Amino acid sequence: MNPPNLHRLDYEGRRFHAPDGDHRTVAVYHQQGDLVWGEIAGGSIQRGWTAGTRQPDGTLTMGYTFVLTDGQVVCGRTHNTPALTPDGRIRLHETWERYGPHPTTGTSTIEEVAP
């Protein structure tokens, strides 16, 4: 069996969390063509959204907005590079930038929740 093409991964219905973070925070992704979006909730995030596009090289370029449980609104953008875990789940390596009164940049990883 050939491994899936990382450039053509289908994100529809896939659930993601930070493997080293709060597992109550889950993002559910959707996809139509190269348009990808998700809803995020749980843990310190009351509600969040992300939307963007899958690029020809398979990466995702997205914007995000989160409303935290303390009422703070966090906005930014992220560039995600997909890889596969040894058991075949999608792992996204994120480079992100946060806007607003406390701008910052960083990297993180989210991965598909095991079925």
Side-chain angles (χ1 to χ4, degrees), residues 35-74:
L35 177 65
V36 178
W37 70 97
E39 298 92 25
I40 302 101
S44 65
I45 299 177
Q46 281 190 65
R47 184 69 57 197
W49 300 268
T50 188
T53 56
R54 181 181 58 195
Q55 303 303 303
D57 66 358
T59 61
L60 301 177
T61 301
M62 305 179 88
Y64 64 86
T65 302
F66 302 148
V67 179
L68 304 180
T69 55
D70 66 3
Q72 181 181 2
V73 177
V74 177

PDB file of all heavy atoms in Angstrom, residues 35-74:
ATOM      1  N   LEU A  35     -10.149  24.826  -0.109  1.00  0.00           N
ATOM      2  CA  LEU A  35     -10.590  25.627   1.026  1.00  0.00           C
ATOM      3  C   LEU A  35     -10.676  24.720   2.256  1.00  0.00           C
ATOM      4  O   LEU A  35     -11.313  23.665   2.212  1.00  0.00           O
ATOM      5  CB  LEU A  35     -11.959  26.243   0.739  1.00  0.00           C
ATOM      6  CG  LEU A  35     -12.588  27.059   1.867  1.00  0.00           C
ATOM      7  CD1 LEU A  35     -11.750  28.294   2.162  1.00  0.00           C
ATOM      8  CD2 LEU A  35     -14.003  27.453   1.469  1.00  0.00           C
ATOM      9  N   VAL A  36     -10.012  25.118   3.347  1.00  0.00           N
ATOM     10  CA  VAL A  36      -9.992  24.334   4.586  1.00  0.00           C
ATOM     11  C   VAL A  36     -10.379  25.267   5.725  1.00  0.00           C
ATOM     12  O   VAL A  36      -9.885  26.394   5.801  1.00  0.00           O
ATOM     13  CB  VAL A  36      -8.593  23.724   4.844  1.00  0.00           C
ATOM     14  CG1 VAL A  36      -8.568  22.949   6.148  1.00  0.00           C
ATOM     15  CG2 VAL A  36      -8.171  22.829   3.684  1.00  0.00           C
ATOM     16  N   TRP A  37     -11.271  24.797   6.625  1.00  0.00           N
ATOM     17  CA  TRP A  37     -11.658  25.587   7.788  1.00  0.00           C
ATOM     18  C   TRP A  37     -11.931  24.668   8.955  1.00  0.00           C
ATOM     19  O   TRP A  37     -12.096  23.472   8.792  1.00  0.00           O
ATOM     20  CB  TRP A  37     -12.866  26.479   7.488  1.00  0.00           C
ATOM     21  CG  TRP A  37     -14.160  25.743   7.295  1.00  0.00           C
ATOM     22  CD1 TRP A  37     -15.135  25.546   8.236  1.00  0.00           C
ATOM     23  CD2 TRP A  37     -14.629  25.117   6.104  1.00  0.00           C
ATOM     24  NE1 TRP A  37     -16.174  24.820   7.689  1.00  0.00           N
ATOM     25  CE2 TRP A  37     -15.890  24.554   6.379  1.00  0.00           C
ATOM     26  CE3 TRP A  37     -14.109  24.961   4.816  1.00  0.00           C
ATOM     27  CZ2 TRP A  37     -16.632  23.853   5.438  1.00  0.00           C
ATOM     28  CZ3 TRP A  37     -14.844  24.264   3.871  1.00  0.00           C
ATOM     29  CH2 TRP A  37     -16.087  23.724   4.185  1.00  0.00           C
ATOM     30  N   GLY A  38     -11.952  25.247  10.138  1.00  0.00           N
ATOM     31  CA  GLY A  38     -12.196  24.434  11.321  1.00  0.00           C
ATOM     32  C   GLY A  38     -12.825  25.219  12.442  1.00  0.00           C
ATOM     33  O   GLY A  38     -12.736  26.446  12.489  1.00  0.00           O
ATOM     34  N   GLU A  39     -13.475  24.485  13.337  1.00  0.00           N
ATOM     35  CA  GLU A  39     -14.036  25.035  14.567  1.00  0.00           C
ATOM     36  C   GLU A  39     -13.249  24.444  15.731  1.00  0.00           C
ATOM     37  O   GLU A  39     -12.997  23.248  15.748  1.00  0.00           O
ATOM     38  CB  GLU A  39     -15.511  24.669  14.718  1.00  0.00           C
ATOM     39  CG  GLU A  39     -16.413  25.200  13.617  1.00  0.00           C
ATOM     40  CD  GLU A  39     -16.592  24.226  12.466  1.00  0.00           C
ATOM     41  OE1 GLU A  39     -16.444  23.011  12.688  1.00  0.00           O
ATOM     42  OE2 GLU A  39     -16.848  24.682  11.352  1.00  0.00           O
ATOM     43  N   ILE A  40     -12.912  25.302  16.689  1.00  0.00           N
ATOM     44  CA  ILE A  40     -12.099  24.888  17.825  1.00  0.00           C
ATOM     45  C   ILE A  40     -12.857  25.216  19.107  1.00  0.00           C
ATOM     46  O   ILE A  40     -13.437  26.295  19.229  1.00  0.00           O
ATOM     47  CB  ILE A  40     -10.736  25.625  17.836  1.00  0.00           C
ATOM     48  CG1 ILE A  40      -9.974  25.362  16.544  1.00  0.00           C
ATOM     49  CG2 ILE A  40      -9.898  25.206  19.032  1.00  0.00           C
ATOM     50  CD1 ILE A  40     -10.053  26.464  15.555  1.00  0.00           C
ATOM     51  N   ALA A  41     -12.855  24.305  20.070  1.00  0.00           N
ATOM     52  CA  ALA A  41     -13.484  24.562  21.365  1.00  0.00           C
ATOM     53  C   ALA A  41     -12.884  23.619  22.402  1.00  0.00           C
ATOM     54  O   ALA A  41     -12.341  22.576  22.069  1.00  0.00           O
ATOM     55  CB  ALA A  41     -14.994  24.360  21.286  1.00  0.00           C
ATOM     56  N   GLY A  42     -13.009  24.029  23.666  1.00  0.00           N
ATOM     57  CA  GLY A  42     -12.561  23.197  24.778  1.00  0.00           C
ATOM     58  C   GLY A  42     -11.385  23.795  25.504  1.00  0.00           C
ATOM     59  O   GLY A  42     -10.665  24.634  24.973  1.00  0.00           O
ATOM     60  N   GLY A  43     -11.213  23.372  26.728  1.00  0.00           N
ATOM     61  CA  GLY A  43     -10.108  23.890  27.529  1.00  0.00           C
ATOM     62  C   GLY A  43     -10.245  25.387  27.710  1.00  0.00           C
ATOM     63  O   GLY A  43     -11.305  25.878  28.076  1.00  0.00           O
ATOM     64  N   SER A  44      -9.200  26.145  27.424  1.00  0.00           N
ATOM     65  CA  SER A  44      -9.214  27.594  27.606  1.00  0.00           C
ATOM     66  C   SER A  44      -9.857  28.340  26.439  1.00  0.00           C
ATOM     67  O   SER A  44      -9.958  29.565  26.476  1.00  0.00           O
ATOM     68  CB  SER A  44      -7.789  28.112  27.823  1.00  0.00           C
ATOM     69  OG  SER A  44      -7.021  27.894  26.655  1.00  0.00           O
ATOM     70  N   ILE A  45     -10.297  27.615  25.403  1.00  0.00           N
ATOM     71  CA  ILE A  45     -10.920  28.251  24.239  1.00  0.00           C
ATOM     72  C   ILE A  45     -12.434  28.022  24.291  1.00  0.00           C
ATOM     73  O   ILE A  45     -12.897  26.889  24.196  1.00  0.00           O
ATOM     74  CB  ILE A  45     -10.336  27.709  22.922  1.00  0.00           C
ATOM     75  CG1 ILE A  45      -8.834  28.004  22.858  1.00  0.00           C
ATOM     76  CG2 ILE A  45     -11.071  28.307  21.724  1.00  0.00           C
ATOM     77  CD1 ILE A  45      -8.141  27.451  21.628  1.00  0.00           C
ATOM     78  N   GLN A  46     -13.190  29.134  24.470  1.00  0.00           N
ATOM     79  CA  GLN A  46     -14.652  29.031  24.433  1.00  0.00           C
ATOM     80  C   GLN A  46     -15.108  28.635  23.039  1.00  0.00           C
ATOM     81  O   GLN A  46     -15.922  27.739  22.866  1.00  0.00           O
ATOM     82  CB  GLN A  46     -15.306  30.382  24.759  1.00  0.00           C
ATOM     83  CG  GLN A  46     -15.349  30.722  26.204  1.00  0.00           C
ATOM     84  CD  GLN A  46     -16.222  31.937  26.405  1.00  0.00           C
ATOM     85  OE1 GLN A  46     -17.422  31.901  26.161  1.00  0.00           O
ATOM     86  NE2 GLN A  46     -15.611  33.025  26.848  1.00  0.00           N
ATOM     87  N   ARG A  47     -14.571  29.354  22.056  1.00  0.00           N
ATOM     88  CA  ARG A  47     -14.932  29.085  20.667  1.00  0.00           C
ATOM     89  C   ARG A  47     -13.835  29.677  19.804  1.00  0.00           C
ATOM     90  O   ARG A  47     -13.296  30.738  20.099  1.00  0.00           O
ATOM     91  CB  ARG A  47     -16.260  29.736  20.340  1.00  0.00           C
ATOM     92  CG  ARG A  47     -16.810  29.461  18.964  1.00  0.00           C
ATOM     93  CD  ARG A  47     -17.268  28.062  18.730  1.00  0.00           C
ATOM     94  NE  ARG A  47     -18.285  27.672  19.700  1.00  0.00           N
ATOM     95  CZ  ARG A  47     -18.618  26.414  19.931  1.00  0.00           C
ATOM     96  NH1 ARG A  47     -18.017  25.446  19.295  1.00  0.00           N
ATOM     97  NH2 ARG A  47     -19.533  26.113  20.807  1.00  0.00           N
ATOM     98  N   GLY A  48     -13.506  28.982  18.722  1.00  0.00           N
ATOM     99  CA  GLY A  48     -12.501  29.485  17.811  1.00  0.00           C
ATOM    100  C   GLY A  48     -12.772  29.002  16.407  1.00  0.00           C
ATOM    101  O   GLY A  48     -13.500  28.028  16.193  1.00  0.00           O
ATOM    102  N   TRP A  49     -12.197  29.714  15.456  1.00  0.00           N
ATOM    103  CA  TRP A  49     -12.353  29.380  14.047  1.00  0.00           C
ATOM    104  C   TRP A  49     -11.028  29.574  13.342  1.00  0.00           C
ATOM    105  O   TRP A  49     -10.231  30.431  13.706  1.00  0.00           O
ATOM    106  CB  TRP A  49     -13.383  30.292  13.385  1.00  0.00           C
ATOM    107  CG  TRP A  49     -14.727  30.181  14.004  1.00  0.00           C
ATOM    108  CD1 TRP A  49     -15.744  29.345  13.631  1.00  0.00           C
ATOM    109  CD2 TRP A  49     -15.222  30.921  15.118  1.00  0.00           C
ATOM    110  NE1 TRP A  49     -16.830  29.521  14.452  1.00  0.00           N
ATOM    111  CE2 TRP A  49     -16.537  30.483  15.380  1.00  0.00           C
ATOM    112  CE3 TRP A  49     -14.680  31.898  15.952  1.00  0.00           C
ATOM    113  CZ2 TRP A  49     -17.311  30.995  16.407  1.00  0.00           C
ATOM    114  CZ3 TRP A  49     -15.455  32.414  16.982  1.00  0.00           C
ATOM    115  CH2 TRP A  49     -16.759  31.958  17.194  1.00  0.00           C
ATOM    116  N   THR A  50     -10.809  28.787  12.334  1.00  0.00           N
ATOM    117  CA  THR A  50      -9.661  28.932  11.460  1.00  0.00           C
ATOM    118  C   THR A  50     -10.139  28.702  10.038  1.00  0.00           C
ATOM    119  O   THR A  50     -11.061  27.908   9.813  1.00  0.00           O
ATOM    120  CB  THR A  50      -8.506  27.970  11.856  1.00  0.00           C
ATOM    121  OG1 THR A  50      -7.363  28.289  11.087  1.00  0.00           O
ATOM    122  CG2 THR A  50      -8.881  26.515  11.694  1.00  0.00           C
ATOM    123  N   ALA A  51      -9.567  29.422   9.099  1.00  0.00           N
ATOM    124  CA  ALA A  51      -9.953  29.253   7.694  1.00  0.00           C
ATOM    125  C   ALA A  51      -8.778  29.632   6.824  1.00  0.00           C
ATOM    126  O   ALA A  51      -8.007  30.531   7.148  1.00  0.00           O
ATOM    127  CB  ALA A  51     -11.166  30.123   7.352  1.00  0.00           C
ATOM    128  N   GLY A  52      -8.648  28.920   5.712  1.00  0.00           N
ATOM    129  CA  GLY A  52      -7.569  29.216   4.800  1.00  0.00           C
ATOM    130  C   GLY A  52      -7.580  28.280   3.614  1.00  0.00           C
ATOM    131  O   GLY A  52      -8.620  27.695   3.278  1.00  0.00           O
ATOM    132  N   THR A  53      -6.423  28.127   3.007  1.00  0.00           N
ATOM    133  CA  THR A  53      -6.316  27.324   1.797  1.00  0.00           C
ATOM    134  C   THR A  53      -5.180  26.321   1.887  1.00  0.00           C
ATOM    135  O   THR A  53      -4.189  26.547   2.586  1.00  0.00           O
ATOM    136  CB  THR A  53      -6.083  28.223   0.554  1.00  0.00           C
ATOM    137  OG1 THR A  53      -4.925  29.023   0.782  1.00  0.00           O
ATOM    138  CG2 THR A  53      -7.277  29.109   0.278  1.00  0.00           C
ATOM    139  N   ARG A  54      -5.367  25.221   1.179  1.00  0.00           N
ATOM    140  CA  ARG A  54      -4.301  24.229   1.012  1.00  0.00           C
ATOM    141  C   ARG A  54      -3.524  24.661  -0.223  1.00  0.00           C
ATOM    142  O   ARG A  54      -4.079  24.832  -1.306  1.00  0.00           O
ATOM    143  CB  ARG A  54      -4.893  22.839   0.820  1.00  0.00           C
ATOM    144  CG  ARG A  54      -3.812  21.770   0.656  1.00  0.00           C
ATOM    145  CD  ARG A  54      -4.390  20.406   0.445  1.00  0.00           C
ATOM    146  NE  ARG A  54      -5.250  20.424  -0.746  1.00  0.00           N
ATOM    147  CZ  ARG A  54      -6.117  19.479  -1.049  1.00  0.00           C
ATOM    148  NH1 ARG A  54      -6.276  18.449  -0.274  1.00  0.00           N
ATOM    149  NH2 ARG A  54      -6.851  19.566  -2.137  1.00  0.00           N
ATOM    150  N   GLN A  55      -2.241  24.845  -0.065  1.00  0.00           N
ATOM    151  CA  GLN A  55      -1.375  25.288  -1.152  1.00  0.00           C
ATOM    152  C   GLN A  55      -0.978  24.097  -2.029  1.00  0.00           C
ATOM    153  O   GLN A  55      -1.099  22.944  -1.606  1.00  0.00           O
ATOM    154  CB  GLN A  55      -0.133  25.971  -0.575  1.00  0.00           C
ATOM    155  CG  GLN A  55      -0.445  27.138   0.342  1.00  0.00           C
ATOM    156  CD  GLN A  55      -1.281  28.200  -0.338  1.00  0.00           C
ATOM    157  OE1 GLN A  55      -0.898  28.737  -1.370  1.00  0.00           O
ATOM    158  NE2 GLN A  55      -2.445  28.492   0.235  1.00  0.00           N
ATOM    159  N   PRO A  56      -0.487  24.351  -3.261  1.00  0.00           N
ATOM    160  CA  PRO A  56      -0.093  23.244  -4.144  1.00  0.00           C
ATOM    161  C   PRO A  56       0.930  22.283  -3.535  1.00  0.00           C
ATOM    162  O   PRO A  56       0.944  21.104  -3.871  1.00  0.00           O
ATOM    163  CB  PRO A  56       0.486  23.961  -5.369  1.00  0.00           C
ATOM    164  CG  PRO A  56      -0.216  25.281  -5.393  1.00  0.00           C
ATOM    165  CD  PRO A  56      -0.388  25.648  -3.933  1.00  0.00           C
ATOM    166  N   ASP A  57       1.769  22.775  -2.588  1.00  0.00           N
ATOM    167  CA  ASP A  57       2.764  21.892  -1.965  1.00  0.00           C
ATOM    168  C   ASP A  57       2.189  21.117  -0.781  1.00  0.00           C
ATOM    169  O   ASP A  57       2.908  20.390  -0.096  1.00  0.00           O
ATOM    170  CB  ASP A  57       3.995  22.680  -1.539  1.00  0.00           C
ATOM    171  CG  ASP A  57       3.728  23.688  -0.432  1.00  0.00           C
ATOM    172  OD1 ASP A  57       2.562  23.831   0.010  1.00  0.00           O
ATOM    173  OD2 ASP A  57       4.687  24.353  -0.003  1.00  0.00           O
ATOM    174  N   GLY A  58       0.886  21.285  -0.487  1.00  0.00           N
ATOM    175  CA  GLY A  58       0.246  20.556   0.600  1.00  0.00           C
ATOM    176  C   GLY A  58       0.180  21.309   1.911  1.00  0.00           C
ATOM    177  O   GLY A  58      -0.500  20.870   2.838  1.00  0.00           O
ATOM    178  N   THR A  59       0.888  22.430   2.023  1.00  0.00           N
ATOM    179  CA  THR A  59       0.826  23.203   3.258  1.00  0.00           C
ATOM    180  C   THR A  59      -0.507  23.937   3.361  1.00  0.00           C
ATOM    181  O   THR A  59      -1.192  24.147   2.357  1.00  0.00           O
ATOM    182  CB  THR A  59       1.984  24.209   3.347  1.00  0.00           C
ATOM    183  OG1 THR A  59       1.888  25.123   2.253  1.00  0.00           O
ATOM    184  CG2 THR A  59       3.332  23.508   3.323  1.00  0.00           C
ATOM    185  N   LEU A  60      -0.861  24.326   4.573  1.00  0.00           N
ATOM    186  CA  LEU A  60      -2.069  25.106   4.819  1.00  0.00           C
ATOM    187  C   LEU A  60      -1.662  26.515   5.228  1.00  0.00           C
ATOM    188  O   LEU A  60      -0.794  26.685   6.088  1.00  0.00           O
ATOM    189  CB  LEU A  60      -2.901  24.492   5.943  1.00  0.00           C
ATOM    190  CG  LEU A  60      -3.386  23.062   5.744  1.00  0.00           C
ATOM    191  CD1 LEU A  60      -4.129  22.587   6.989  1.00  0.00           C
ATOM    192  CD2 LEU A  60      -4.270  22.959   4.516  1.00  0.00           C
ATOM    193  N   THR A  61      -2.275  27.522   4.620  1.00  0.00           N
ATOM    194  CA  THR A  61      -2.108  28.917   5.004  1.00  0.00           C
ATOM    195  C   THR A  61      -3.447  29.372   5.544  1.00  0.00           C
ATOM    196  O   THR A  61      -4.442  29.365   4.814  1.00  0.00           O
ATOM    197  CB  THR A  61      -1.677  29.769   3.795  1.00  0.00           C
ATOM    198  OG1 THR A  61      -0.442  29.252   3.290  1.00  0.00           O
ATOM    199  CG2 THR A  61      -1.497  31.221   4.185  1.00  0.00           C
ATOM    200  N   MET A  62      -3.486  29.736   6.847  1.00  0.00           N
ATOM    201  CA  MET A  62      -4.769  29.983   7.504  1.00  0.00           C
ATOM    202  C   MET A  62      -4.707  31.198   8.422  1.00  0.00           C
ATOM    203  O   MET A  62      -3.645  31.569   8.908  1.00  0.00           O
ATOM    204  CB  MET A  62      -5.179  28.754   8.311  1.00  0.00           C
ATOM    205  CG  MET A  62      -5.208  27.477   7.474  1.00  0.00           C
ATOM    206  SD  MET A  62      -5.660  26.024   8.415  1.00  0.00           S
ATOM    207  CE  MET A  62      -7.444  26.135   8.227  1.00  0.00           C
ATOM    208  N   GLY A  63      -5.867  31.767   8.665  1.00  0.00           N
ATOM    209  CA  GLY A  63      -6.054  32.775   9.694  1.00  0.00           C
ATOM    210  C   GLY A  63      -6.863  32.153  10.811  1.00  0.00           C
ATOM    211  O   GLY A  63      -7.550  31.149  10.609  1.00  0.00           O
ATOM    212  N   TYR A  64      -6.782  32.734  12.029  1.00  0.00           N
ATOM    213  CA  TYR A  64      -7.544  32.179  13.140  1.00  0.00           C
ATOM    214  C   TYR A  64      -8.031  33.281  14.069  1.00  0.00           C
ATOM    215  O   TYR A  64      -7.437  34.353  14.166  1.00  0.00           O
ATOM    216  CB  TYR A  64      -6.739  31.140  13.924  1.00  0.00           C
ATOM    217  CG  TYR A  64      -5.510  31.679  14.623  1.00  0.00           C
ATOM    218  CD1 TYR A  64      -5.594  32.238  15.903  1.00  0.00           C
ATOM    219  CD2 TYR A  64      -4.264  31.621  14.017  1.00  0.00           C
ATOM    220  CE1 TYR A  64      -4.464  32.719  16.539  1.00  0.00           C
ATOM    221  CE2 TYR A  64      -3.135  32.102  14.648  1.00  0.00           C
ATOM    222  CZ  TYR A  64      -3.245  32.645  15.910  1.00  0.00           C
ATOM    223  OH  TYR A  64      -2.127  33.134  16.543  1.00  0.00           O
ATOM    224  N   THR A  65      -9.135  32.987  14.757  1.00  0.00           N
ATOM    225  CA  THR A  65      -9.688  33.832  15.808  1.00  0.00           C
ATOM    226  C   THR A  65     -10.175  32.918  16.923  1.00  0.00           C
ATOM    227  O   THR A  65     -10.908  31.968  16.655  1.00  0.00           O
ATOM    228  CB  THR A  65     -10.864  34.685  15.306  1.00  0.00           C
ATOM    229  OG1 THR A  65     -10.421  35.494  14.215  1.00  0.00           O
ATOM    230  CG2 THR A  65     -11.419  35.568  16.411  1.00  0.00           C
ATOM    231  N   PHE A  66      -9.750  33.182  18.151  1.00  0.00           N
ATOM    232  CA  PHE A  66     -10.184  32.424  19.325  1.00  0.00           C
ATOM    233  C   PHE A  66     -10.801  33.390  20.330  1.00  0.00           C
ATOM    234  O   PHE A  66     -10.279  34.484  20.540  1.00  0.00           O
ATOM    235  CB  PHE A  66      -9.010  31.739  20.042  1.00  0.00           C
ATOM    236  CG  PHE A  66      -8.213  30.790  19.220  1.00  0.00           C
ATOM    237  CD1 PHE A  66      -6.857  30.632  19.456  1.00  0.00           C
ATOM    238  CD2 PHE A  66      -8.779  30.027  18.212  1.00  0.00           C
ATOM    239  CE1 PHE A  66      -6.096  29.743  18.719  1.00  0.00           C
ATOM    240  CE2 PHE A  66      -8.034  29.137  17.466  1.00  0.00           C
ATOM    241  CZ  PHE A  66      -6.685  28.989  17.723  1.00  0.00           C
ATOM    242  N   VAL A  67     -11.877  32.968  20.992  1.00  0.00           N
ATOM    243  CA  VAL A  67     -12.402  33.667  22.155  1.00  0.00           C
ATOM    244  C   VAL A  67     -12.073  32.770  23.344  1.00  0.00           C
ATOM    245  O   VAL A  67     -12.558  31.640  23.435  1.00  0.00           O
ATOM    246  CB  VAL A  67     -13.921  33.915  22.054  1.00  0.00           C
ATOM    247  CG1 VAL A  67     -14.418  34.617  23.315  1.00  0.00           C
ATOM    248  CG2 VAL A  67     -14.251  34.729  20.806  1.00  0.00           C
ATOM    249  N   LEU A  68     -11.215  33.260  24.222  1.00  0.00           N
ATOM    250  CA  LEU A  68     -10.768  32.477  25.367  1.00  0.00           C
ATOM    251  C   LEU A  68     -11.804  32.531  26.492  1.00  0.00           C
ATOM    252  O   LEU A  68     -12.686  33.397  26.500  1.00  0.00           O
ATOM    253  CB  LEU A  68      -9.419  32.995  25.856  1.00  0.00           C
ATOM    254  CG  LEU A  68      -8.292  33.020  24.798  1.00  0.00           C
ATOM    255  CD1 LEU A  68      -7.007  33.558  25.402  1.00  0.00           C
ATOM    256  CD2 LEU A  68      -8.092  31.665  24.170  1.00  0.00           C
ATOM    257  N   THR A  69     -11.699  31.631  27.440  1.00  0.00           N
ATOM    258  CA  THR A  69     -12.668  31.567  28.536  1.00  0.00           C
ATOM    259  C   THR A  69     -12.637  32.822  29.409  1.00  0.00           C
ATOM    260  O   THR A  69     -13.628  33.128  30.063  1.00  0.00           O
ATOM    261  CB  THR A  69     -12.441  30.315  29.409  1.00  0.00           C
ATOM    262  OG1 THR A  69     -11.081  30.304  29.853  1.00  0.00           O
ATOM    263  CG2 THR A  69     -12.745  29.044  28.632  1.00  0.00           C
ATOM    264  N   ASP A  70     -11.533  33.579  29.388  1.00  0.00           N
ATOM    265  CA  ASP A  70     -11.467  34.831  30.155  1.00  0.00           C
ATOM    266  C   ASP A  70     -12.010  36.014  29.359  1.00  0.00           C
ATOM    267  O   ASP A  70     -11.945  37.155  29.794  1.00  0.00           O
ATOM    268  CB  ASP A  70     -10.045  35.112  30.641  1.00  0.00           C
ATOM    269  CG  ASP A  70      -9.063  35.395  29.514  1.00  0.00           C
ATOM    270  OD1 ASP A  70      -9.458  35.445  28.316  1.00  0.00           O
ATOM    271  OD2 ASP A  70      -7.855  35.567  29.818  1.00  0.00           O
ATOM    272  N   GLY A  71     -12.545  35.752  28.137  1.00  0.00           N
ATOM    273  CA  GLY A  71     -13.122  36.798  27.305  1.00  0.00           C
ATOM    274  C   GLY A  71     -12.155  37.435  26.326  1.00  0.00           C
ATOM    275  O   GLY A  71     -12.564  38.192  25.450  1.00  0.00           O
ATOM    276  N   GLN A  72     -10.880  37.132  26.451  1.00  0.00           N
ATOM    277  CA  GLN A  72      -9.885  37.692  25.540  1.00  0.00           C
ATOM    278  C   GLN A  72     -10.104  37.143  24.131  1.00  0.00           C
ATOM    279  O   GLN A  72     -10.409  35.962  23.955  1.00  0.00           O
ATOM    280  CB  GLN A  72      -8.483  37.345  26.039  1.00  0.00           C
ATOM    281  CG  GLN A  72      -7.377  37.900  25.193  1.00  0.00           C
ATOM    282  CD  GLN A  72      -5.991  37.501  25.707  1.00  0.00           C
ATOM    283  OE1 GLN A  72      -5.847  36.775  26.680  1.00  0.00           O
ATOM    284  NE2 GLN A  72      -4.972  37.975  25.036  1.00  0.00           N
ATOM    285  N   VAL A  73      -9.934  38.019  23.125  1.00  0.00           N
ATOM    286  CA  VAL A  73     -10.017  37.615  21.722  1.00  0.00           C
ATOM    287  C   VAL A  73      -8.598  37.592  21.157  1.00  0.00           C
ATOM    288  O   VAL A  73      -7.850  38.560  21.291  1.00  0.00           O
ATOM    289  CB  VAL A  73     -10.900  38.586  20.910  1.00  0.00           C
ATOM    290  CG1 VAL A  73     -10.910  38.194  19.440  1.00  0.00           C
ATOM    291  CG2 VAL A  73     -12.314  38.612  21.470  1.00  0.00           C
ATOM    292  N   VAL A  74      -8.225  36.469  20.552  1.00  0.00           N
ATOM    293  CA  VAL A  74      -6.885  36.271  20.008  1.00  0.00           C
ATOM    294  C   VAL A  74      -7.023  36.016  18.508  1.00  0.00           C
ATOM    295  O   VAL A  74      -7.813  35.155  18.089  1.00  0.00           O
ATOM    296  CB  VAL A  74      -6.192  35.077  20.692  1.00  0.00           C
ATOM    297  CG1 VAL A  74      -4.830  34.824  20.087  1.00  0.00           C
ATOM    298  CG2 VAL A  74      -6.090  35.292  22.189  1.00  0.00           C
TER     299      VAL A  74
END
